Amino acid sequence: MNTEALHIEKADVRKLLSSSPDAAMLYLYIHSGNDAANAEKQLHFSASRLSCASATLRQLGLWPEERRSLIRSGQSPEYTERDVLDAMDHDSSFRMLYGEVQRLLGRAMNTEELKILLSFERYLGLPAEVTSVLVSYCKDRARQKGSLRNPSLRAIEKEAYFWAEQGIDTLEEAAAFIHNQNMKNSRLSHLKNLLQIRGRALTPAEERYASGWLEMGFDDEAITMAYERTCLNTGGLNWPYMNKIMSRWHDAGLKTGEQIRSGDKKPVPQGATGQLGEAELEAIQRILREG
């Protein structure tokens, strides 16, 4: 077994800390120059342990291969009512899936919805058990967003395409993906509290900003400091303005409150304020005018 020295990026370290011990061990094994094909034997993993660990690394973007994507030549196939009827008559897996999805959604599905469900199996290649998990996941996500209604098949279809493009086609991949999404949602919820946002969900644009800051690796104090500076200079939470601050700190390698305080004490060019330079102030004013 190779034991080469390796350098792990800080972003990868954070991902590994949120993963399982098996996933972290497999990551170290592979990135030390070992062949993943020998991992089961050399790490004394069972097949199921190895499958779960590799699925976790794939969902975290830490697997040393490019993610699989669908190759489409035009539009997806147009399934007909006859296709649905034939599947119901001759495809026991689809027939069981149909019953399970109806149970999860609490209602009967019409023909158009059954065509969509058939495409999950035949076009996207999602196994029935993975589709069941997908539907449950979409239901839970709708509840988290405050909806009292179950998602439509069209909404589930959009997520199904995403899963297929990410290579989520096993129960292990699905479990790893959902775990990572739950971790992300927990972190976003905590960040909302730091920004004094309560009683509502983040908009898609706000979530993109927030997710970006979390990916940059800022600690709570740094986020709070950026929020306070934003409010002091703009009178409230201005997302593009705060993003300018966060990006400036990130580019300077400042990720914690302590690092930021130390960085602000360093000598600055003549004419600068120690916190906001003239160029930044001009950029801020432009943001406020455009916002």
Side-chain angles (χ1 to χ4, degrees):
M1 183 186 299
N2 293 328
T3 56
E4 297 177 4
L6 70 157
H7 170 75
I8 306 178
E9 297 292 336
K10 290 183 179 179
D12 288 355
V13 171
R14 290 193 298 274
K15 292 178 180 179
L16 288 172
L17 289 175
S18 68
S19 69
S20 66
D22 283 352
M25 186 182 300
L26 181 59
Y27 175 93
L28 294 174
Y29 172 82
I30 293 173
H31 288 265
S32 294
N34 296 287
D35 188 345
N38 299 323
E40 183 176 342
K41 178 180 179 181
Q42 294 192 327
L43 294 179
H44 305 291
F45 279 6
S46 64
S48 61
R49 281 182 70 187
L50 179 61
S51 179
C52 290
S54 59
T56 298
L57 292 182
R58 287 191 178 94
Q59 289 308 309
L60 291 171
L62 299 177
W63 191 255
E65 67 179 12
E66 293 186 359
R67 303 297 298 132
R68 189 190 67 172
S69 61
L70 288 177
I71 300 177
R72 302 193 193 93
S73 56
Q75 299 294 322
S76 60
E78 291 290 337
Y79 294 102
T80 65
E81 183 175 354
R82 172 49 56 188
D83 293 325
V84 171
L85 292 174
D86 286 345
M88 293 290 288
D89 289 339
H90 304 107
D91 187 341
S92 60
S93 176
F94 179 76
R95 191 162 55 246
M96 292 178 63
L97 175 63
Y98 156 76
E100 176 64 9
V101 173
Q102 284 200 145
R103 184 190 68 79
L104 290 170
L105 296 180
R107 61 176 176 81
M109 290 185 289
N110 60 41
T111 302
E112 292 305 312
E113 291 175 323
L114 289 174
K115 292 177 184 178
I116 294 173
L117 189 63
L118 186 62
S119 73
F120 293 177
E121 177 186 84
R122 296 190 177 178
Y123 180 57
L124 299 182
L126 296 180
E129 61 270 20
V130 173
T131 297
S132 296
V133 174
L134 166 70
V135 174
S136 295
Y137 168 75
C138 290
K139 282 183 59 178
D140 291 341
R141 191 173 63 171
R143 296 292 182 273
Q144 292 168 2
K145 292 183 176 180
S147 175
L148 299 178
R149 301 178 60 183
N150 285 328
S152 67
L153 256 292
R154 284 297 179 189
I156 296 172
E157 180 185 34
K158 183 177 179 180
E159 188 68 21
Y161 270 83
F162 176 76
W163 281 34
E165 289 171 349
Q166 295 298 308
I168 305 173
D169 55 10
T170 67
L171 290 176
E172 292 83 5
E173 291 277 359
F177 171 76
I178 292 172
H179 170 76
N180 292 332
Q181 287 300 109
N182 289 338
M183 291 288 292
K184 176 184 175 182
N185 290 338
S186 177
R187 293 167 67 204
L188 284 173
S189 178
H190 180 64
L191 187 143
K192 279 176 57 182
N193 288 331
L194 294 177
L195 301 181
Q196 307 296 312
I197 298 174
R198 298 182 178 87
R200 70 171 181 86
L202 296 176
T203 67
E206 290 173 342
E207 186 170 326
R208 284 193 294 272
Y209 278 124
S211 297
W213 302 338
L214 293 175
E215 287 297 320
M216 291 178 185
F218 290 106
D219 69 2
D220 289 357
E221 187 179 11
I223 293 171
T224 300
M225 290 170 67
Y227 171 67
E228 290 175 349
R229 293 190 184 190
T230 299
C231 292
L232 285 172
N233 287 290
T234 69
L237 175 54
N238 183 294
W239 291 85
Y241 178 84
M242 184 168 169
N243 191 58
K244 286 286 186 181
I245 296 176
M246 304 296 272
S247 297
R248 179 167 64 90
W249 287 346
H250 177 262
D251 292 342
L254 308 176
K255 303 297 181 66
T256 69
E258 182 178 356
Q259 290 173 343
I260 292 163
R261 284 191 297 273
S262 298
D264 281 344
K265 293 176 182 177
K266 293 179 180 179
V268 294
Q270 185 177 2
T273 65
Q275 291 186 355
L276 300 175
E278 291 182 5
E280 185 177 9
L281 287 170
E282 292 177 3
I284 291 165
Q285 294 302 319
R286 184 169 62 254
I287 292 171
L288 294 176
R289 286 195 299 270
E290 294 172 354

